[in-house]
Amino acid sequence: MKPFDSADSWDRLDTYDTTEWAVGDDEEEASAFLAKAAQGGPALELGVGTGRVALPLARHGVPVTAVESSPKMIEQLRAKPGGDELRIVEADFTDVPVEGEFSLVYCVFNTFFLLLSQEAQVRCFQHVTARLRPGGAFVLQTFVLTAEHYGSEQITETMYVGDDQTVLLASVHDPVAQRFNRQQIVLTPANTRFLPMSFRYSWPSELDLMASLAGLTREARWSGWNGEPFRHPGPCVTVYRKSA
């Protein structure tokens, strides 16, 4: 099964911000954490989407540049209050295609795993290091698989049940490539929609090695934006630092 085009997947979800099951609800905690990590300097978000975290971060007084590959998500971001103040580059973020140096580079909501090969993920780390100022931070929000997910080749789950829609996740797992190809199936009384996506997960130790090869050092790892102790499996917030 070939990987799905992630940009096309998000373009299909043209009501992302009002889709209850698709969006996160941690933007205030995330933006406060990231504003502190930026230490008064400019920030760069990889895979900004519709600006769920970038806009509140900008309201903290942090100048934000963003990279995003989905034209429709950029359009939604631009239409929001403050959206026209962000510098946005429409591109794949693998090679971090922006100019300048940043105090903070960040990638939230598992977006880093949309890079579908280890080579692409390693390359991204290397380009992030090149864009960071001495002493700058790279912050990643990812997840760690449960044993149940890792041990299964095909998985079907119920993601969301509402009054007028249900969302199922049907996934094919390749544990060697560490990749999931997934259909998000949205069932409503009127129709059925398929929203495909692919992602390549990395283990925390693998991310740490990528960071080390790129010249970064792991500073901290938590289970959330409020400094919760990290426990496997589950969510994961990691801070990497470039030497001063």
Side-chain angles (χ1 to χ4, degrees):
M1 188 175 183
K2 66 179 182 180
F4 295 116
D5 184 323
S6 296
D8 176 67
S9 300
W10 299 126
D11 280 350
R12 295 188 194 190
L13 192 58
D14 52 6
T15 56
Y16 181 84
D17 288 326
T18 57
T19 303
E20 185 176 0
W21 54 267
V23 298
D25 60 358
D26 61 351
E27 53 268 22
E28 295 305 324
E29 294 90 345
S31 60
F33 180 101
L34 294 167
K36 185 176 180 180
Q39 299 178 334
L44 170 65
E45 180 168 357
L46 306 180
V48 70
T50 62
R52 185 181 64 88
V53 173
L55 290 172
L57 179 59
R59 290 195 289 271
H60 279 278
V62 178
V64 179
T65 298
V67 181
E68 175 55 50
S69 62
S70 167
K72 289 188 177 179
M73 295 192 100
I74 294 175
E75 183 180 346
Q76 291 180 56
L77 169 54
R78 287 296 193 197
K80 294 180 178 180
D84 57 349
E85 298 176 11
L86 303 185
R87 175 189 170 202
I88 303 174
V89 176
E90 183 181 332
D92 179 284
F93 66 77
T94 308
D95 295 322
V96 193
V98 296
E99 298 296 327
E101 289 188 332
F102 300 87
S103 297
L104 169 70
V105 180
Y106 68 97
C107 191
V108 299
F109 209 47
N110 310 315
T111 301
F112 184 77
F113 290 166
L114 296 178
L115 302 180
L116 297 180
S117 69
Q118 185 182 71
E119 187 274 335
Q121 293 179 359
V122 167
R123 207 163 80 233
C124 184
F125 263 98
Q126 293 169 338
H127 285 280
V128 165
T129 301
R131 296 274 68 82
L132 282 174
R133 293 176 176 175
F138 181 31
V139 178
L140 278 177
Q141 182 188 31
T142 56
F143 64 83
V144 181
L145 286 183
T146 65
E148 176 185 12
H149 282 88
Y150 181 73
S152 302
E153 293 185 3
Q154 295 189 38
I155 307 166
T156 302
E157 307 167 89
T158 302
M159 179 181 183
Y160 175 83
V161 177
D163 292 337
D164 57 0
Q165 67 176 333
T166 294
V167 182
L168 305 178
L169 302 181
S171 306
V172 176
H173 177 213
D174 181 345
V176 175
Q178 297 174 207
R179 179 182 293 162
F180 279 87
N181 292 330
R182 170 176 291 172
Q183 285 283 5
Q184 299 172 104
I185 306 168
V186 185
L187 307 172
T188 70
N191 58 34
T192 300
R193 298 181 68 192
F194 289 84
L195 301 170
M197 67 176 297
S198 296
F199 60 89
R200 192 250 178 204
Y201 61 88
S202 295
W203 301 105
S205 57
E206 185 181 8
L207 293 172
D208 291 350
L209 179 58
M210 293 180 190
S212 179
L213 291 172
L216 301 176
T217 302
R218 190 184 84 198
E219 181 175 272
R221 173 167 287 131
W222 296 287
S223 284
W225 299 111
N226 296 313
E228 301 89 338
F230 174 65
R231 293 184 176 89
H232 167 71
C236 180
V237 174
T238 307
V239 180
Y240 297 104
R241 186 75 60 181
K242 183 176 180 177
S243 59

